[in-house]
Amino acid sequence: MTNTGWMLALVALTAVAFLLQGIALLTIASRLKSSMMQTERVLNALERRGNQLMLQVSGLVDSLRPLSGVAKSVSDNVGEIVEIARRRAGEIDSFVQEMTETVKMQASKLDYVVTDTVQKFEQTTAGIQRDVLVPAMEIASLIKGIRTGFDYLFSKKRDKKEKEGTGTFSQDEEMFI
């Protein structure tokens, strides 16, 4: 395999690695988003149950005035739990948004790297062809021409020596010369 082939294979391998990394990040982001949505559903159910509980506690407080202090404390605790759960859901949402933005930025960087690498590869290939292959072909052609000239020159001298050694030329040979 030539150097160009290896470079192309490495570029392709790098692009695939970046693509797999982007896919992995997108998968993580989607799973985090689905878990956030599930957490939000649980929180909504918890809030509904908390509201029902607060209504029941309110009725109980009315019926049991002496225990109203305890009921107020339970109500406050449920309110705090709901507030903490909402705050956590907001944090998860922010995290998912950051992950999504990071994935988008990584995908953009990947696109830039692949595009830039392909452009540089094309420029390098054109430069090699222009600066190395074309002059090499010209030099090879020049050498081949010189070799052919020498072969022709030396073959003529050999022919002359062989003909002079016999001392006689046939009529056909004389007419040819």
Side-chain angles (χ1 to χ4, degrees), residues 46-90:
L46 182 63
E47 184 178 16
R48 280 193 304 271
R49 289 180 185 160
N51 287 337
Q52 290 173 354
L53 181 63
M54 287 173 62
L55 287 174
Q56 290 173 355
V57 169
S58 176
L60 184 62
V61 167
D62 289 341
S63 66
L64 302 170
R65 286 283 172 193
L67 299 173
S68 67
V70 173
K72 175 129 176 68
S73 174
V74 169
S75 175
D76 290 343
N77 287 340
V78 168
E80 286 178 28
I81 290 171
V82 169
E83 181 59 34
I84 289 170
R86 284 188 188 277
R87 190 171 51 240
R88 294 291 177 173

Side-chain angles (χ1 to χ4, degrees), residues 142-160:
L142 178 66
I143 290 171
K144 188 175 182 180
I146 290 171
R147 184 180 297 147
T148 303
F150 280 136
D151 286 345
Y152 177 74
L153 181 64
F154 289 127
S155 71
K156 221 166 172 43
K157 283 184 181 179
R158 261 187 270 141
D159 287 344
K160 265 187 176 179

Side-chain angles (χ1 to χ4, degrees), residues 160 163-164 166-174 177:
K160 265 187 176 179
K163 288 179 184 178
E164 286 175 1
T166 60
T168 58
F169 291 110
S170 67
Q171 257 186 334
D172 291 335
E173 291 175 331
E174 288 183 78
I177 294 176

